[in-house]
């Protein structure tokens, strides 16, 4: 018990320190590196909170993809930005008030949480999968997931509309990077397939698999085998929408029920796997597209760094 | 429970850094820190009894994906802003 508390305390202190270092520094590169460290410490925090699905997603998306996006953003040209004005210390009372409010809030809460875990466990046999988080994501709260996919595609549309990427495919000259990519990318695709399949009965699922696929695309873009997106071809656009389209087709009420997004218990497992496979393809492409549309790199990217 | 308090502190820190005028990249980072703090509060409070609760975990999973989408959109808009008005911070 004591060792647990010590570990949690050190982890919490590390989280606060890396967040403060990311937000209070003046150097943009260092701020982004501190932020990536913050993301990795968050992954450990999710593991300590018994949330392995979130840990997988945070590592791949929160620390990995967001870190890649930010590193690419600071790698380009641009002014360093002026420092904050002297009146910035006025925000301290605001932050202190919010902190005091948040610290006082749990005092009024009942000792145990709601009856949701018991309700989920009771309905789990009918959901088609045996992992509770997957059942909640794709069966009980499938509406949220459907809208989330729509939000991701809308963000991709916004990114494509706002910037135009002129990065051409140019093989990087760094041999170690190329060899690593050639070995790692097939393994990452295999891992994504495993995560997709394993989501039914252990931590995993469509989002984690899509994040690993997006990371493989980022690696290929860094090596130079993938070029930035300016006008995605037709088959890419088709692949982007096939996920939500399959989801919608399954969601639409059929003859024998009048409810949206109802999965009959007999075929729920197969339907969930179908939806997850289509979602992995679309979400992986969308997450990769978020990076590839913003790809800038450095003009003389011969590989040496 | 400790993580819920840490999440609250992160939320306050991120909120403070978002409100202060300064480099736009710092505010994007602050927005992400705020999001992570909110997720920690959410899951930390829900699991203060020790039993993992799948519903807030699914919601936080959704939140992480939406946060990365919002970050990418913010970076795209910042780059467009830089191109149109290079002297603006």
């Amino acid at each position: 018990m004591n060792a647990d508390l010590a570990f949690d305390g050190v982890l919490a202190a590390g989280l606060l320190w890396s967040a403060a270092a990311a937000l209070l520094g003046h150097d943009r590169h260092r701020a982004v590196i501190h932020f990536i460290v913050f993301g990795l410490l968050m992954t450990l925090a999710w593991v300590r909170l018994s949330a392995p699905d979130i840990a997988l997603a945070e590592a791949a998306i929160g620390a990995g993809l967001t870190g890649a996006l930010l590193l690419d953003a600071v790698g380009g040209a641009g002014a360093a930005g002026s420092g904050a004005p002297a009146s910035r210390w006025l925000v301290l009372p605001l932050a202190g008030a919010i902190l005091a409010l948040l610290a006082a809030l749990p005092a009024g809460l009942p000792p145990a949480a709601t009856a949701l875990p018991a309700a989920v466990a009771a309905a789990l046999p009918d959901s088609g999968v045996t992992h509770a988080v997957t059942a909640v994501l794709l069966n009980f709260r499938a509406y949220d997931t459907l809208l989330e996919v729509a939000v991701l595609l809308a963000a991709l549309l916004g990114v494509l509309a706002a910037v135009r990427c002129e990065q051409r495919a140019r093989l990087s000259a760094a041999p170690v990077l190329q060899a690593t990519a050639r070995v790692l990318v097939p393994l990452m695709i295999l891992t994504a397939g495993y995560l997709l399949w394993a989501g039914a009965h252990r931590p995993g699922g469509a989002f984690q698999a899509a994040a690993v696929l997006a990371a493989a695309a980022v690696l290929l873009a860094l090596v130079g085998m993938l070029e930035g997106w300016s006008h995605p071809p037709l088959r890419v656009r088709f692949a982007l929408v096939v996920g939500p389209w399959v989801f919608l087709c399954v969601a639409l009420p059929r003859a024998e029920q009048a409810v949206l997004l109802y999965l009959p218990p007999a075929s729920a497992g197969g339907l969930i796997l179908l939806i997850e496979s289509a979602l992995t393809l679309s979400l992986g492409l969308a997450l990769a597209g978020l990076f590839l549309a913003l790809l800038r790199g450095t003009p003389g990217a011969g590989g040496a760094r | 429970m400790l993580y819920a308090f840490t999440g609250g502190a992160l939320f306050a820190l991120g909120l403070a850094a978002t409100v202060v005028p300064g480099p736009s990249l710092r505010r994007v980072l602050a927005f992400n820190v705020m999001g992570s703090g909110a997720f920690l509060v959410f899951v930390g409070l829900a699991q203060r009894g020790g039993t993992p609760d799948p519903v807030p975990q699914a919601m936080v999973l959704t939140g992480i994906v939406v946060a990365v989408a919002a970050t990418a959109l913010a970076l795209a808009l910042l780059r467009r802003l830089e191109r149109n008005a290079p002297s603006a911070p």
Side-chain angles (χ1 to χ4, degrees), chain A residues 24 40 140 179 183 191 261 294 303:
Chain A
L24 298 177
L40 292 176
F140 306 143
V183 168
T191 308
L261 277 175
L294 285 171

Side-chain angles (χ1 to χ4, degrees), chain A residues 120-121 123-136 139-140 197-203 268-269 272, chain B residues 54:
Chain A
V120 170
L124 198 55
D126 283 337
S127 66
V129 295
T130 49
H131 186 54
V133 177
T134 308
V136 172
N139 197 342
F140 306 143
W197 178 257
H201 42 271
R202 55 196 340 170
I272 288 184

Side-chain angles (χ1 to χ4, degrees), chain A residues 60-61 65 69 152-153 156 206-215 217-218 229 240 280-293, chain B residues 64-66 68-69 72:
Chain A
I61 302 179
L65 197 62
L69 281 171
L152 187 56
L153 284 182
L156 182 62
F207 293 100
Q208 291 83 352
V212 172
L213 282 182
V218 168
W229 283 12
L240 277 173
T280 303
L281 176 64
S282 291
L283 290 179
L285 264 182
L287 288 173
L290 285 179
F291 178 78
L292 289 174
Chain B
I64 290 181
V65 175
V66 172
V68 75

Side-chain angles (χ1 to χ4, degrees), chain A residues 8 49-50 110 148 162 294, chain B residues 3 47-48 57 65 79-80:
Chain A
D8 287 338
L49 280 170
S50 313
E148 167 198 0
L294 285 171
Chain B
Y3 287 108
Q47 297 185 175
R48 65 186 180 277
Q57 287 186 17
V65 175
R79 187 183 303 180
R80 187 59 178 258

Side-chain angles (χ1 to χ4, degrees), chain A:
Chain A
M1 179 60 198
N2 220 358
D4 280 351
L5 201 56
F7 184 81
D8 287 338
V10 171
L11 188 56
L15 279 174
L16 288 171
W17 177 83
S18 56
L23 295 179
L24 298 177
H26 285 294
D27 186 20
R28 285 153 50 118
H29 290 85
R30 262 187 221 152
V32 171
I33 300 292
H34 280 297
F35 180 75
I36 297 179
V37 170
F38 171 75
L40 292 176
L41 289 178
M42 281 290 293
T43 308
L44 283 181
W46 293 125
V47 173
R48 286 294 298 154
L49 280 170
S50 313
D53 305 75
I54 310 183
L56 285 172
E58 176 80 41
I61 302 179
L65 197 62
T66 313
L69 281 171
L70 290 167
L71 276 179
D72 200 56
V74 299
S82 57
S87 58
R88 69 183 184 270
W89 299 115
L90 285 178
V91 80
L92 272 183
L94 169 69
I98 302 245
L99 190 55
L101 189 67
L102 286 173
L105 216 50
L109 290 174
T114 65
L116 272 179
V120 170
L124 198 55
D126 283 337
S127 66
V129 295
T130 49
H131 186 54
V133 177
T134 308
V136 172
L137 262 182
L138 285 171
N139 197 342
F140 306 143
R141 307 280 318 205
Y143 190 52
D144 300 340
T145 309
L146 179 60
L147 291 184
E148 167 198 0
V149 176
V151 164
L152 187 56
L153 284 182
L156 182 62
L157 274 180
V159 169
L160 281 174
V163 302
R164 182 181 319 140
C165 175
E166 296 100 9
Q167 182 91 346
R168 311 297 307 169
R170 181 183 38 227
L171 275 186
S172 160
V176 175
L177 188 59
Q178 276 199 40
T180 309
R182 279 172 209 273
V183 168
L184 273 187
V185 169
L187 285 178
M188 286 164 107
I189 299 181
L190 198 60
T191 308
Y194 169 71
L195 282 174
L196 171 63
W197 178 257
H201 42 271
R202 55 196 340 170
F207 293 100
Q208 291 83 352
V212 172
L213 282 182
V218 168
L219 189 53
L220 284 179
L222 287 178
V223 173
M225 290 191 208
L226 275 183
E227 60 184 22
W229 283 12
S230 51
H231 296 290
L234 188 62
R235 57 175 187 266
V236 168
R237 300 178 198 217
F238 180 71
L240 277 173
V241 302
V242 77
W245 187 78
V246 166
F247 208 157
L248 270 178
C249 286
V250 173
L252 287 176
R254 285 177 288 273
E256 62 271 11
Q257 87 262 12
V259 183
L260 200 63
L261 277 175
Y262 173 72
L263 297 180
S267 50
L271 283 176
I272 288 184
L273 188 59
L274 176 67
I275 297 176
E276 281 206 302
S277 309
L279 275 186
T280 303
L281 176 64
S282 291
L283 290 179
L285 264 182
L287 288 173
L290 285 179
F291 178 78
L292 289 174
L294 285 171
L295 186 62
R296 185 155 53 173
T298 50
R305 191 167 275 275

